[in-house]
Amino acid sequence: MRDPRIKWNVGTDFQLELRRRVDHYFATTGLRRDGGTRLLLKTGVIFAWFFAGYALLLFGDLPLWAVVLCGASTGLAMGGLGMAVQHDGGHRAFGRSARLNRFAAGVLDFLGASSHVWHVKHGVLHHTYPNVEGSDDDIALQPLARVAPGQRRRAIHRFQHLYLWAFYGFLGLKWWLIDDFVQLARGRIGNHPLARPRGAQLGLFIAGKLSHLLWAIVVPLAIVGLVPTLVFYVTAQLVTGWTISVTFQLAHCVEEAEFVDPSRSAETIERDFAAHQIATTVDFARSSRFLSWYLGGLNFQVVHHLFPRISHVHYPALSPIVERTCADFGIRYNVSPSFLAALRSHYRWLRRMGHEEAPTAALVLQRS
């Protein structure tokens, strides 16, 4: 899945020093790089949160307004499972054993999406080519929105800073119930090939879709009926989709991040791989212990992109190490001080992309 338009420079002095300092941290603290017991306990808490809301729907005899609240709470728990459990498992950072990582990664299948498709879409393409137009499928929202400067601007995009927030909830639902099937049928994600699952992977794909249908639709239909089931399910999915979508957007589609458009260069682009990860990624709300816990450390997005095989439980400790190393090498480390500041930056970026024409020759859009 290599993009021939880009050549990554690896093994640079910056990358070697960064790795040395992080290795030194683990050597001196004696900590393991996976999530360990802390992440297992956290997983139990979030699953308990999820099943509490689900059980309340089934057996609580709730009025419709309470079903909405119950669905919203369950949706937040589903988002937490995706970001704090599945995400680490998908990057093989959840636990020491491959079996434990496969279990954590398979949480996504339980939630309705395919961990097989996610691995290619996110683990390979996004992490290799963050904010590279034409390769990073996570920023391919056309024709609904324009989030990168090299993408085509349409008349409707003038209003995307207003309407896109509502659509974020549906993006997750569309991905889970439609995109998995469409991309597997085509055998491609964007311009990149997608191998169809076989053997155990195919079994997990089918089992995941069926189990999701069973617990999310069939069982509630049999116990509480059609209207509460649909209200609960749609509310939970919208909240989950909005939570995950916005978290990603605040880390990449903001004013502080860079975008690369290889199609506007006649020559191969050379980039320092680690420096590119830092330039296209933004931390936010690092001082919020609750957000760091709930978002699975994805507010420390820079550390995650540099060291995806390290569990998010270590990100708050590693972030200052990475930031100091960046300062020593004259590399800017992008940070939004708070969640609201990041939201405002994303809003301004959407508005800018909705009004600004695509550059005719610019290769990299520098920070504002």
Side-chain angles (χ1 to χ4, degrees):
M1 295 187 182
R2 178 179 175 273
D3 189 332
R5 302 171 302 174
I6 296 183
K7 176 183 177 181
W8 298 120
N9 294 323
V10 297
T12 64
D13 290 343
F14 171 63
Q15 295 173 42
L16 294 174
E17 178 62 16
L18 192 59
R19 186 173 293 112
R20 187 193 68 79
R21 295 186 186 186
V22 170
D23 289 345
H24 178 73
Y25 167 80
F26 284 104
T28 55
T29 60
L31 295 173
R32 290 162 34 186
R33 298 181 182 230
D34 60 87
T37 304
R38 289 171 58 188
L39 189 48
L40 289 174
L41 292 174
K42 181 177 181 176
T43 299
V45 169
I46 302 177
F47 262 116
W49 178 7
F50 167 82
F51 282 115
Y54 185 61
L56 195 58
L57 166 73
L58 298 182
F59 308 114
D61 193 21
L62 304 175
L64 205 57
W65 63 265
V67 172
V68 172
L69 294 180
C70 192
S73 175
T74 303
L76 288 172
M78 290 167 62
L81 287 172
M83 294 182 290
V85 179
Q86 181 274 330
H87 192 253
D88 269 25
H91 284 291
R92 293 179 290 176
F94 185 89
R96 277 186 174 180
S97 71
R99 181 177 296 180
L100 192 57
N101 283 318
R102 285 196 298 268
F103 165 79
V107 168
L108 189 62
D109 295 274
F110 171 77
L111 296 177
S114 167
S115 57
H116 172 75
V117 176
W118 180 93
H119 170 71
V120 177
K121 176 183 173 66
H122 178 85
V124 177
L125 294 180
H126 172 64
H127 269 266
T128 305
Y129 303 105
N131 283 14
V132 175
E133 298 174 40
S135 292
D136 183 1
D137 193 67
D138 284 355
I139 60 171
L141 303 185
Q142 294 278 8
L144 179 63
R146 176 183 183 238
V147 296
Q151 295 171 347
R152 176 185 173 186
R153 187 177 70 87
R154 305 170 188 266
I156 189 63
H157 296 160
R158 290 178 297 169
F159 308 104
Q160 66 178 12
H161 60 292
L162 302 175
Y163 68 74
L164 195 56
W165 302 93
F167 279 97
Y168 281 151
F170 292 96
L171 289 175
L173 194 62
K174 173 177 174 290
W175 169 36
W176 296 348
L177 300 181
I178 299 174
D179 288 355
D180 281 347
F181 298 102
V182 170
Q183 290 170 340
L184 284 172
R186 291 176 178 171
R188 303 190 70 80
I189 295 179
N191 298 321
H192 297 269
L194 171 65
R196 295 182 176 90
R198 299 178 182 275
Q201 288 182 334
L202 179 60
L204 179 60
F205 178 86
I206 296 172
K209 296 297 182 183
L210 291 178
S211 67
H212 181 77
L213 179 65
L214 180 65
W215 73 257
I217 302 295
V218 175
V219 172
L221 271 177
I223 296 178
V224 299
L226 179 62
V227 173
T229 296
L230 291 181
V231 169
F232 174 86
Y233 182 73
V234 172
T235 301
Q237 292 288 3
L238 291 178
V239 170
T240 304
W242 193 90
T243 301
I244 294 175
S245 296
V246 169
T247 299
F248 168 82
Q249 297 291 58
L250 299 190
H252 293 286
C253 296
V254 288
E255 295 171 306
E256 296 83 359
E258 287 185 1
F259 291 80
V260 177
D261 184 1
S263 67
R264 300 182 184 278
S265 174
E267 300 177 352
T268 301
I269 302 169
E270 291 195 25
R271 302 275 281 177
D272 180 300
F273 184 75
H276 174 84
Q277 302 291 327
I278 296 167
T280 56
T281 306
V282 182
D283 286 357
F284 62 92
R286 293 188 299 178
S287 62
S288 173
R289 296 183 65 180
F290 170 74
L291 281 179
S292 298
W293 183 89
Y294 173 67
L295 299 180
L298 294 182
N299 53 325
F300 291 90
Q301 192 78 196
V302 173
V303 178
H304 170 61
H305 267 261
L306 292 170
F307 301 100
R309 293 288 300 275
I310 295 176
S311 173
H312 72 268
V313 301
H314 302 293
Y315 292 172
L318 294 179
S319 181
I321 297 173
V322 173
E323 189 169 12
R324 285 194 298 269
T325 309
C326 287
D328 291 342
F329 281 81
I331 296 174
R332 177 172 172 173
Y333 189 106
N334 302 312
V335 181
S336 286
S338 68
F339 180 76
L340 289 178
L343 278 177
R344 289 193 291 266
S345 180
H346 179 52
Y347 171 88
R348 291 191 297 266
W349 181 251
L350 289 179
R351 192 174 189 278
R352 176 176 171 181
M353 289 295 97
H355 290 79
E356 186 179 84
E357 293 290 348
T360 57
L363 172 63
V364 178
L365 182 76
Q366 300 293 337
R367 308 171 183 87
S368 302

